[in-house]
Amino acid sequence: MQVIETDIPVVRRIVPKRFGDARGWFSETYRADVLAKAGIADVFIQDNQSFSAPQGTVRGLHFQRAPMAQAKLIRVLSGAILDVAVDLRRDSPTYGQHVAVRLDAEAGEQLYVPIGFGHGFCTLVPDTMVAYKVAGGVYSPEHDGALLWNDPALGIAWPVTEAEAQLSDKDRVAPRLAELSPPF
């Protein structure tokens, strides 16, 4: 398993090794000891899974405030996504900047998003299933927050237009970065 820094070093790409033969392949998708050596020592307490039927489904950008803030380890079980993490740490030199990584079931890469980031993704193909491990706090509606997915100030090159995006009501009306009191 390889752990690779992104443009925002605390956000990491995780590349599990696959062992293949005529039957298919096998891969360790999570190893606490390997991740801890790379500085990811979170205790994951919840697993989530989402299924998005249409291509162009956008989920996010979501976060939870303290004391229920969450770190996430995201992977795609079927299909493909553009996965995005936005730095929302008020004192960070990369505040408001983002990392965008293509994740798909075929390659098996994962993205680690630490506490302090908004997270979201857009499905690149129909029938996409995403799983992610959560560390920190369990889901808490009282601590739930969102950032407008297509806020121009973020500069995210989403693969869909606003008209094409399949959004929840919550994500459609989330505040822009300039309207958001820094949550971390």
Side-chain angles (χ1 to χ4, degrees):
M1 181 177 292
Q2 264 188 302
V3 180
I4 303 166
E5 289 185 353
T6 64
D7 289 341
I8 302 176
V10 295
V11 177
R12 310 273 181 81
R13 286 181 34 228
I14 312 299
V15 184
K17 186 172 182 180
R18 288 191 172 171
F19 302 91
D21 60 25
R23 301 167 298 166
W25 54 264
F26 168 84
S27 181
E28 290 180 342
T29 60
Y30 176 75
R31 282 273 307 260
D33 60 332
V34 172
L35 294 178
K37 275 186 175 178
I40 301 171
D42 295 310
V43 175
F44 291 99
I45 60 169
Q46 180 178 323
D47 282 356
N48 297 337
Q49 187 169 329
S50 71
F51 173 76
S52 302
Q55 178 177 334
T57 297
V58 175
R59 296 182 184 268
L61 300 159
H62 302 149
F63 58 88
Q64 283 199 166
R65 291 174 178 85
M68 303 304 282
Q70 297 178 330
K72 298 174 182 173
L73 181 60
I74 300 100
R75 67 188 178 109
V76 175
L77 302 177
S78 64
I81 63 173
L82 179 69
D83 203 37
V84 177
V86 177
D87 191 346
L88 297 177
R89 301 169 298 163
R90 74 175 56 94
D91 296 327
S92 171
T94 56
Y95 178 79
Q97 295 179 29
H98 72 278
V99 169
V101 176
R102 185 184 197 280
L103 299 178
D104 61 58
E106 188 174 324
E109 285 192 23
Q110 301 174 54
L111 190 68
Y112 170 73
V113 179
I115 288 173
F117 285 75
H119 171 258
F121 62 84
C122 178
T123 60
L124 302 175
V125 298
D127 301 327
T128 294
M129 195 171 307
V130 175
Y132 54 99
K133 300 181 104 34
V134 176
V138 296
Y139 174 71
S140 170
E142 301 84 40
H143 299 90
D144 192 36
L147 175 63
L148 188 64
W149 69 283
N150 64 345
D151 179 351
L154 302 175
I156 300 168
W158 291 103
V160 292
T161 65
E162 187 171 354
E164 297 167 330
Q166 303 293 311
L167 297 161
S168 70
D169 291 340
K170 168 187 160 181
D171 293 342
R172 194 176 310 282
V173 299
R176 294 174 184 251
L177 184 64
E179 302 163 339
L180 186 69
S181 176
F184 302 99

